[in-house]
Amino acid sequence: MLTRNLANYTTGVVRIKISGIFPEKFINLCLNGGIMLWGIKKVGEDIYAYVRLPDFFAIREPAFKSHNKVRIVGVRGLPFTLKRFKQRKMMLAGAVLFFILLEVLTSYIWFIDIDGVKTVSGDRVKDIAASNGLRTGVFKNDVNVKEIESQILLNMPEVAWVGVKVNGTRALIEIVEKTLPRIADKAPADIVAAKDGVITEIIAIAGQAVVKKGDTVSKGDILVRGVNSPPPQSDGQNTVQGAGELIRANGIIKARIWYDSYGESGLVREEYRRTGRKVSAVTVKVGGAEMAFKKVIVPPFARYETEVIHKKLPEWRNSDFTVESTINIYHEVATDLYEISFDEARELAKAKAFQALVSKIPETAQVLVSDFEVLKTSESGLVRVKVSTETIEDIGLTMNITQ
Amino acid sequence: MQRRRRGKLERLARILEIPEDIVLDLPRITMLGNQQLLVENHKGIIEYAPFLVRIKLNQGELVINGEELTLGNLAAEQILVEGTVAQIKYEV
């Protein structure tokens, strides 16, 4: 069935309409004449049928003999398609041009991507690739992959492996970096106190501890000296402590630290509220030029908040040309005053004091005690709170010995 | 006379195991459900309408009643009637 359909498509098929008094006679004549008809359908008085294009010219005789009229109602198949193409030469030319352009444009490299760079500069890889003939717009067949790979390896000793793959119009340079051992700082150093406090724990891993547990130290005091202790040299009677060699001190020093912080709050709380009145200023920036579309005299209100909206065009490939607009919306605000109770004010002051502390205490510190007390003030309508916090934290700070 | 000759041919066909439709010039009718009806070895169409198809055979005619009947694949040796076949009648 499929092969017959295909054969019919290549030879071409004509749909005909047979009208006359006795169409059956026409069909019989066709059958005897070896003309194949199919899809015969009677609609009203007319009979529709398919006939193959080569047979179509032979139906003139049976039509004449049976006194029937035959009309073409539709055609399909390759010969008719080809005929249409012949009439539209430009369409064919366009199709050919399309394929030629596709072929031409895909034989150049348009994109170069680098994958796997962490510490190595990707631009340097690109430069080396470019100087060896791999740059945007180069003909695909002219790219010598092996040569580029070896050149990158030669010029960049920090690269362990490099692979260049050309995939369609995109060249991908894959880089595997060498993992170099980290060079530790070996310069001699002391450990000094970073903060004031009382030592709770001191372990000198390298160097000599100069303070002991329970000592009070202030900021900048040396805790562990970066000097090693050579074995005592004995010359018979006297034991002489040899001068140490300078080393990099290392150790764990923990100390108890106190923090104080103050916070205050009035018994009246201010709250800002937008009144709904607003003005907006619009500025448009094209390239380097700036234009104000709508100007606003600042300040527009006695009290106001500013809302800034930036709108930017998506960045085009490698283009520095910027087009952006800035909208400044000034909202007028009104201040509402609320009276609050003493307890509320105290909580607010406490929260403020804690807020101030948080930035001072490092995250690794272990908080022991946190107290607060309300301070007496001469001003009425003001609550002042003092928060004292005690922590244990590492206060060791490595400081290079300068000679 | 003709009947005797026919009888002899029939016997010969049976002895030689040749299909009788070839020897006796009989139509072979194949039906696929009530949707397709294939008539081989026909002698032409007498009448065609969407509800009625009459096919001339060696002896007499075949009358097919049905709905939306179409003739597909018409060739010198065979007729394919498609559609919904309701009734087939042999008229000698």
Side-chain angles (χ1 to χ4, degrees), chain A residues 24 27-28 31 37 40 42, chain B residues 44-45 48 70-71 73-75:
Chain A
E24 285 86 353
I27 294 171
N28 281 333
L31 285 175
L37 298 172
I40 301 163
K42 195 162 191 173
Chain B
I45 292 172
Y48 165 60
T70 58
L71 304 180
N73 212 358
L74 224 67

Side-chain angles (χ1 to χ4, degrees), chain A residues 112-373:
Chain A
I112 298 169
D113 290 333
I114 297 172
D115 194 19
V117 286
K118 286 180 211 117
T119 52
V120 182
S121 145
D123 289 342
R124 251 189 79 204
V125 176
K126 239 176 211 182
D127 285 347
I128 295 167
S131 59
N132 286 286
L134 176 61
R135 63 185 88 81
T136 316
V138 84
F139 194 60
K140 217 153 73 173
N141 292 356
D142 293 348
V143 175
N144 188 345
V145 168
K146 287 271 170 302
E147 173 71 15
I148 292 159
E149 283 177 0
S150 59
Q151 281 300 320
I152 291 173
L153 273 182
L154 274 177
N155 287 303
M156 302 182 80
E158 61 270 41
V159 171
W161 178 85
V162 62
V164 177
K165 268 194 246 166
V166 177
N167 237 341
T169 59
R170 174 172 173 260
L172 178 69
I173 305 175
E174 281 178 289
I175 293 220
V176 177
E177 292 177 10
K178 282 180 188 163
T179 36
L180 297 171
R182 273 234 319 264
I183 302 155
D185 196 356
K186 291 246 173 74
D190 293 330
I191 294 181
V192 299
K195 285 169 182 173
D196 299 351
V198 175
I199 304 291
T200 56
E201 192 184 352
I202 179 156
I203 302 163
I205 297 165
Q208 292 169 346
V210 282
V211 289
K212 56 184 187 300
K213 191 178 165 185
D215 284 358
T216 306
V217 293
S218 51
K219 189 177 173 180
D221 284 357
I222 291 175
L223 305 174
V224 179
R225 203 174 278 288
V227 176
N228 68 354
S229 45
Q233 286 171 353
S234 172
D235 61 347
Q237 299 120 345
N238 302 328
T239 308
V240 178
Q241 185 73 39
E245 205 182 323
L246 289 175
I247 55 156
R248 191 172 182 84
N250 191 4
I252 299 163
I253 304 99
K254 288 209 169 152
R256 196 178 282 259
I257 317 257
W258 286 268
Y259 293 97
D260 281 339
S261 174
Y262 298 92
E264 58 182 37
S265 169
L267 285 167
V268 172
R269 187 161 51 100
E270 285 186 346
E271 209 162 81
Y272 298 108
R273 167 175 61 79
R274 285 184 187 177
T275 57
R277 279 176 66 191
K278 62 178 180 184
V279 285
S280 46
V282 181
T283 328
V284 174
K285 202 171 160 188
V286 178
E290 206 169 298
M291 264 185 295
F293 266 87
K294 212 174 141 195
K295 274 186 184 168
V296 168
I297 306 143
V298 177
F301 307 111
R303 278 166 166 273
Y304 64 95
E305 291 180 326
T306 317
E307 188 183 337
V308 184
I309 300 167
H310 275 291
K311 280 190 181 154
K312 218 171 174 183
L313 279 187
E315 243 174 80
W316 201 246
R317 215 175 266 282
N318 307 327
S319 167
D320 294 328
F321 190 76
T322 52
V323 178
E324 61 175 36
S325 71
T326 311
I327 304 168
N328 280 310
I329 303 172
Y330 301 97
H331 295 276
E332 190 190 30
V333 291
T335 317
D336 293 328
L337 299 176
Y338 296 98
E339 283 219 359
I340 52 173
S341 71
F342 177 80
D343 284 349
E344 270 184 274
R346 194 189 59 206
E347 289 305 314
L348 273 176
K350 223 169 94 181
K352 274 186 197 166
F354 272 118
Q355 199 62 46
L357 267 185
V358 164
S359 56
K360 281 195 234 163
I361 301 175
E363 275 177 33
T364 51
Q366 175 195 355
V367 177
L368 293 178
V369 197
S370 196
D371 278 333
F372 75 94
E373 63 177 305

